[in-house]
Amino acid sequence: MKTLLVKGSEAIALGALAADCRCYFGYPITPQNEIPELMARELPKRGGVFLQAESELAAVNMLLGAASTGVRAMTSSSSPGISLMAETFSYLAALELPAVIVNVSRGGPGLGGIEASQGDYFQATRGAGHGDYHFLVLSPASIQEAYELTARAFSLAEKYRQPALILTDALLGQMKEPLRLRRLRFPRYPVEDWALTGARGRPGRTLRSLFLGPGELRARNLLLQRKYQAMRREARAEILYAEGAELVVTAFGSLSRIVREAVEMAREKGYPVAFLRPITLFPFPDRPYRKLAEGGQPFLVVELNCGQMVEDVRLAVCGRSRVESLALPPSDLPAPEDIYRRIRRCLAQR
Amino acid sequence: MSGPKMKFVFPRVLTERPFHYCPGCHHGIVHRLLAEVLEELELRERAYGVASIGCACFLYYYFDIDICEAPHGRACAAATGAKRARPELAVFTYQGDGDFAAIGLNESLQAAARGERITAIMINNTVYGMTGGQLSPTTLPGQRTTTTPEGRDPRMYGYPLKVAEILAQFPGVAYCARVAVNSPRRVLEARQALRQAFLAQLEDRGFGYVEVLSACPVNWKLDPVSANKKVDELTQTFPLKIFRTWEGL
């Protein structure tokens, strides 16, 4: 098996290629340009399509067109570009198109900055566009996982006829780690019964989201909601040291690496602290949170934003435990020691 | 009676659902012509239409082909994605002047400049029809709309955007024409233009564009006959012409 030293953004592109992504559409924005650049080099060689669009708006609509024909397709961008795509996200969800979108997020609001940030958690998990809909949201914590989750995203998107979003950030996107190019075997799902491929030997098909008849839109919404319920079985989380824990520290994505180091420090000093990392942000893995809250242990939610995932943790534990927030707005990354000090304070409050 | 026999043939590409369009509206005529061209070129089984936002968003009620709905203005980008993904498809967009030339102008121009092998049909009726007759980029100077109740004032809103004249300059555009359907002869010319605009992609020559000057009696506050005549007035600002084509056509 080949091992490469690559950036997170490159690992995402390689994961897409491993999943046989056939079309990539995108527009340049820092810090994710390695994705389109790798795709521009590699996709045409494999008979695929790389096209640089005139804007993120055009890119996501090219994605809509390509995905509507049942072909595996993706786009990527960073926070402001993702905002620009938001209207079409709503259409992708409404048309039930299996498209993959990557957000290598940066600091906001506005032009913000190009440093690592998790400020797009709400945008990713609440939908960003109009109407009642959700994306599947996956968040890797390592370069290996970025590769594998991207490939998995294509499979899940096809399984549920549903857009899937990879939420990562400038830190993971730009840092390098060894990547083992494992052969990935996530299943493919048939597209023949819905994709627009020309009405050969069948009546014409329509992919639409306009429903004006009495009760039609309600039925449509309920259908989507049933699908989102069914998607709950895809919830995934990484749990460490749950046994006998007196505090649960939780974080997602690249920051979880620093948080995990702080947890290890605490444990070395004899503090029984658990580590919980959601891998899917939607569906949010409520179950391990609920289970860990049964004993009433407090939670500490650490995020590189002003406190967003903490709301989902509070909903999951539903008042059974105290939930504290260590919200770190973007600029500087915390050191493990900063988080370790907060862990000790939390434990002292017991 | 001597001479050729007239025969009514219903294009198989059309469904039998009656058009919902207002009396005197030209969408019905253009739909019919489009259906005839798709049939003549034997494209029913590989056609991919993009329905845009406007009165013709219900395209899928009337055409028995594969149709995808695009967000307002993004039809040419969606069509680009579909065509690039599956080049064997005959991909077209059907848009109004607001969709193509206001909110979607960038996607439209960029797709044309790239020479996408798609066919774009723009229905130019100088107003936003579906939302009730507001100012559009092609509204004539002095023309009253619901948002220019005193008429379009060029000092405030400038002058009409002449899309065919812009696209005609692009080497990526293989065919570019402006037509009308307010007389039998023009209907035949329009049919021919639609045919060529499809040939542009089928023969891998480039982007095909047909702009159709169309009547909107309800929003023009005219009866159907007067609205039909008024299209002649539009041709002074928007001349009917084949702006670009390829040699040997």
Side-chain angles (χ1 to χ4, degrees):
Chain A
M1 192 189 310
K2 222 159 114 186
T3 300
L4 304 172
L5 183 66
V6 293
K7 290 186 180 182
S9 288
E10 293 166 323
I12 286 168
L14 292 170
L17 292 174
D20 195 28
C21 170
R22 305 305 295 160
C23 294
Y24 174 93
F25 308 99
Y27 182 81
I29 185 170
T30 305
Q32 59 82 57
N33 294 316
E34 292 81 358
I35 301 176
E37 286 166 359
L38 194 146
M39 289 307 221
R41 290 194 302 272
E42 294 300 323
L43 255 183
K45 278 189 224 165
R46 299 159 193 240
V49 173
F50 170 86
L51 189 61
Q52 181 170 322
E54 60 269 28
S55 66
E56 289 89 351
L57 204 50
V60 73
N61 281 283
M62 290 173 185
L63 175 67
L64 180 149
S68 75
T69 70
V71 161
R72 286 194 165 182
M74 81 182 290
T75 187
S76 65
S77 189
S78 180
S79 308
I82 294 290
S83 299
L84 196 50
M85 296 181 182
E87 183 202 19
T88 302
F89 285 175
S90 173
Y91 281 75
L92 290 175
L95 300 177
E96 295 191 271
L97 294 180
V100 172
I101 298 107
V102 178
N103 181 3
V104 184
S105 68
R106 53 191 253 184
L111 204 47
I114 54 168
E115 67 279 82
S117 161
Q118 296 182 324
D120 296 351
Y121 180 91
F122 280 155
Q123 189 199 46
T125 57
R126 270 61 174 168
H130 57 287
D132 279 321
Y133 79 91
H134 286 285
F135 275 10
L136 259 162
V137 185
L138 310 171
S139 184
S142 71
I143 270 130
Q144 188 68 37
E145 199 179 34
Y147 170 73
E148 296 184 10
L149 279 186
T150 305
R152 179 184 289 276
F154 280 93
S155 179
L156 288 175
E158 226 163 59
K159 181 177 180 182
Y160 292 98
R161 266 192 69 186
Q162 160 72 21
L165 179 92
I166 303 287
L167 180 63
T168 182
D169 59 47
L171 180 57
L172 199 77
Q174 292 300 311
M175 75 182 192
K176 281 190 172 182
E177 274 181 339
L179 168 68
R180 288 187 306 134
L181 276 182
R182 290 178 46 197
R183 192 176 286 276
L184 304 170
R185 297 190 191 278
F186 298 116
R188 289 197 89 110
Y189 296 86
V191 299
E192 290 74 25
D193 57 340
W194 61 266
L196 303 184
T197 53
R200 191 163 297 120
R202 60 162 171 80
R205 260 182 205 154
T206 300
L207 285 172
R208 63 176 174 130
S209 61
L210 180 66
F211 295 97
L212 297 176
E216 271 182 13
L217 191 56
R218 180 173 176 273
R220 184 76 193 152
N221 267 287
L222 294 176
L223 189 116
L224 289 176
Q225 292 302 319
R226 275 200 296 278
K227 180 169 80 172
Y228 302 146
Q229 278 304 320
M231 274 160 37
R232 295 215 155 263
R233 72 173 78 100
E234 305 297 340
R236 287 156 70 95
E238 182 187 11
I239 308 154
L240 295 170
Y241 322 123
E243 194 67 28
E246 290 178 19
L247 172 72
V248 182
V249 185
T250 181
F252 74 96
S254 55
L255 182 74
S256 71
R257 303 271 291 265
I258 303 172
V259 172
R260 183 172 165 179
E261 219 174 303
V263 168
E264 311 275 5
M265 281 169 78
R267 293 189 63 85
E268 270 166 35
K269 303 236 163 75
Y271 300 108
V273 179
F275 170 79
L276 175 48
R277 172 176 75 92
I279 298 169
T280 56
L281 302 181
F282 189 92
F284 191 74
D286 303 42
R287 210 169 283 170
Y289 284 90
R290 216 176 305 135
K291 197 147 187 301
L292 284 164
E294 271 166 11
Q297 293 92 333
F299 282 71
L300 174 62
V301 187
V302 192
E303 306 175 72
L304 268 185
N305 54 36
C306 299
Q308 299 187 18
M309 187 176 84
V310 64
E311 293 192 4
D312 282 338
V313 176
R314 286 197 173 117
L315 282 170
V317 309
C318 200
R320 290 185 193 91
S321 295
R322 194 176 82 236
V323 177
E324 290 199 17
S325 167
L326 175 52
L328 307 161
S331 264
D332 307 316
L333 289 171
E337 290 76 10
D338 301 329
I339 299 163
Y340 168 69
R341 275 194 294 275
R342 181 63 183 263
I343 288 172
R344 284 198 53 185
R345 276 223 310 278
C346 281
L347 287 166
Q349 279 174 31
R350 267 174 304 168
Chain B
M1 232 169 79
S2 61
K5 247 195 202 155
M6 296 272 280
K7 193 172 131 198
F8 180 81
V9 182
F10 194 85
R12 275 178 309 143
V13 174
L14 280 184
T15 64
E16 288 183 19
R17 189 172 175 137
F19 293 137
H20 73 281
Y21 301 112
C22 308
C25 167
H26 286 172
H27 270 310
I29 300 171
V30 184
H31 278 22
R32 166 77 191 225
L33 295 179
L34 174 58
E36 286 180 6
V37 167
L38 289 174
E39 190 152 305
E40 184 195 329
L41 298 175
E42 298 182 340
L43 296 177
R44 196 203 83 91
E45 298 200 327
R46 58 188 184 111
Y48 176 108
V50 183
S52 61
I53 309 303
C55 295
C57 66
F58 295 112
L59 202 65
Y60 42 75
Y61 285 154
Y62 311 121
F63 285 80
D64 180 28
I65 59 170
D66 281 2
I67 293 181
C68 188
E69 186 187 87
H72 195 20
R74 316 297 162 223
C76 283
T80 296
K83 182 72 180 186
R84 295 277 182 147
R86 291 196 191 265
E88 70 276 13
L89 294 174
V91 177
F92 71 89
T93 71
Y94 191 105
Q95 305 171 256
D97 42 276
D99 195 86
F100 190 97
I103 192 168
L105 186 66
N106 195 26
E107 285 76 11
S108 307
L109 294 192
Q110 303 277 359
R114 281 193 307 268
E116 293 297 337
R117 271 44 173 176
I118 61 172
T119 302
I121 300 161
M122 183 181 102
I123 305 299
N124 179 1
N125 61 14
T126 74
V127 286
Y128 283 81
M130 189 182 236
T131 48
Q134 294 84 5
L135 172 85
S136 103
T138 57
T139 299
L140 301 183
Q143 184 181 341
R144 285 170 195 267
T145 71
T146 56
T147 49
T148 53
E150 304 300 321
R152 179 177 186 159
D153 175 1
R155 285 172 53 112
M156 180 86 141
Y157 284 112
Y159 296 87
L161 202 61
K162 300 184 181 186
V163 179
E165 283 83 343
I166 299 171
L167 295 187
Q169 304 162 42
F170 296 176
V173 175
Y175 186 82
C176 172
R178 185 184 290 118
V179 298
V181 290
N182 66 334
S183 75
R185 186 181 151 180
R186 283 177 175 169
V187 167
L188 293 177
E189 286 165 355
R191 188 185 189 284
Q192 188 63 8
L194 286 168
R195 190 175 176 279
Q196 312 301 11
F198 272 96
L199 287 180
Q201 69 166 301
L202 297 177
E203 295 184 9
D204 196 31
R205 293 179 187 274
F207 190 84
Y209 173 78
V210 180
E211 179 175 330
V212 188
L213 295 185
S214 299
C216 186
V218 168
N219 287 312
W220 290 355
K221 315 269 187 272
L222 293 173
D223 62 80
V225 175
S226 313
N228 203 57
K229 281 197 190 116
K230 195 180 165 69
V231 173
D232 290 334
E233 264 175 56
L234 296 188
T235 63
Q236 286 161 22
T237 305
F238 301 110
L240 304 181
K241 195 176 156 186
I242 297 170
F243 290 89
R244 197 177 176 99
T245 184
W246 62 91
E247 228 171 291
L249 185 73

